[in-house]
Amino acid sequence: MDGHKKTNKETNEKAYWNHEVAKLLEISDSTLRRWCIQLETNGYIFIKGENESRAFTVHDLAALRFFKELVKVERKTKETASKEVVERYPARGVTPPMQGFDKALHPVQVDEKIEELSNKIEAMKLQLDQQMEFNKHLIERMDQQNMKYIRELQETKKQIAISQEKKKWWKFWV
């Protein structure tokens, strides 16, 4: 890959050749071409170079890796996978919609959402602190029990040693 990179004139970002991307993804050039056509059919936009050849960027590599994961590992159809890729990796310059937010939120609504999320975070912090305190007390109790068992074990060993030292009554006359 080192000497075979080309630069995208629009963004001045490194771009990769077809065979480099195919090698990275461990697929054939023809499979890469079919995947790209499938993605373009569902709205994915690749940067085109001379002769309408695709110039692959880091963004495209991530999208293609995700596509491969969906098709090869999760066994989704190429149609379904391409729709998920287009949703997750929109065209450059287009920001994906944020989940849980409407497209036209009023600033007051944004403030309310922020406050709601802040409250949730505070509640989670409080719950985490309580859990940590409980765990601390639990560990202390376990330590105390372990120390008690160790002392009992030592005492038992002492008693066994003492009893073994005592001579039997008939050995006193020998």
Side-chain angles (χ1 to χ4, degrees):
M1 273 195 307
D2 353 295
H4 299 85
K5 294 177 185 160
K6 55 185 176 178
T7 304
N8 176 8
K9 292 175 185 165
E10 296 171 18
T11 61
N12 205 22
E13 127 182 61
K14 298 272 184 187
Y16 300 90
W17 301 106
N18 284 355
H19 70 276
E20 292 176 305
V21 174
K23 187 176 178 181
L24 278 171
L25 295 173
E26 299 175 334
I27 59 173
S28 68
D29 287 358
S30 60
T31 299
L32 176 62
R33 249 186 311 286
R34 285 194 311 272
W35 287 5
C36 292
I37 291 167
Q38 179 67 51
L39 287 167
E40 288 171 333
T41 304
N42 284 289
Y44 191 89
I45 300 170
F46 289 100
I47 298 169
K48 300 278 181 144
E50 302 162 6
N51 303 328
E52 290 296 300
S53 61
R54 293 177 190 87
F56 297 97
T57 63
V58 173
H59 180 267
D60 300 327
L61 287 172
L64 286 163
R65 279 190 181 110
F66 183 56
F67 185 86
K68 179 181 179 182
E69 172 79 17
L70 294 173
V71 170
K72 300 282 186 180
V73 177
E74 295 184 23
R75 300 283 188 208
K76 294 189 177 184
T77 65
K78 290 178 183 79
E79 176 70 22
T80 303
S82 62
K83 287 178 182 176
E84 287 186 38
V85 168
V86 169
E87 188 176 306
R88 183 179 283 188
Y89 295 93
R92 287 157 211 75
V94 178
T95 53
M98 292 175 62
Q99 292 179 343
F101 287 93
D102 296 332
K103 289 181 180 174
L105 279 180
H106 191 274
V108 173
Q109 290 173 310
V110 172
D111 289 342
E112 289 172 357
K113 286 282 187 186
I114 290 172
E115 185 176 339
E116 178 186 333
L117 291 173
S118 294
N119 290 341
K120 285 182 180 180
I121 289 171
E122 286 303 316
M124 291 170 70
K125 282 182 182 177
L126 179 63
Q127 188 178 10
L128 183 62
D129 287 344
Q130 290 171 346
Q131 186 65 42
M132 288 174 62
E133 190 64 29
F134 174 79
N135 290 347
K136 180 181 170 186
H137 289 297
L138 185 63
I139 289 170
E140 286 174 2
R141 247 189 14 228
M142 289 171 64
D143 283 345
Q144 289 170 354
Q145 277 185 325
N146 286 339
M147 288 305 295
K148 178 183 169 192
Y149 293 138
I150 289 171
R151 285 188 205 103
E152 288 175 2
L153 184 62
Q154 288 173 336
E155 185 61 33
T156 303
K157 283 182 178 180
K158 255 192 229 177
Q159 290 174 359
I160 290 172
I162 291 171
S163 69
Q164 287 176 346
E165 285 178 8
K166 290 183 181 176
K167 291 189 173 185
K168 305 238 185 264
W169 63 271
W170 64 83
K171 292 191 177 181
F172 284 119
W173 290 283
V174 180

